[in-house]
Amino acid sequence: VLDPARFPDGVLLRDVFPSPDGRLLAYTVTERGSDDAVVHVVATAGGPASENLSGANYGPVTCARGSEGFFYPYFPAAAECK
């Protein structure tokens, strides 16, 4: 499901968060050690394509009750804070 050796150069795996039922896997990656992280959510059984959620700096990802999704802290980019 997840092979960090296949990540592009400079992309680093930060954390992995499986859902309690094992159907979903959320993981965060950063580029070149940046604090800016992107959360990827994939189905472990080869389900639908992954979802990519940017702006997930500094915090853990938590699975929702029933494994229907994940919660994560969102930090908007500076341009969004006008």
Side-chain angles (χ1 to χ4, degrees), residues 6-78:
R6 299 180 140 224
F7 291 172
D9 266 354
V11 175
L12 306 171
L13 178 65
R14 182 190 280 179
D15 291 302
V16 177
F17 307 94
S19 65
D21 65 6
R23 290 184 309 113
L24 298 173
L25 180 72
Y27 63 95
T28 56
V29 296
T30 62
E31 286 195 41
R32 305 195 190 291
S34 168
D35 288 332
D36 298 327
V38 176
V39 177
H40 297 271
V41 179
V42 296
T44 58
S50 69
E51 188 171 348
N52 303 325
L53 311 163
S54 61
N57 305 359
Y58 310 113
V61 175
T62 304
C63 189
R65 182 177 292 149
S67 299
E68 63 270 355
F70 291 89
F71 295 102
Y72 70 100
Y74 173 75
F75 293 88

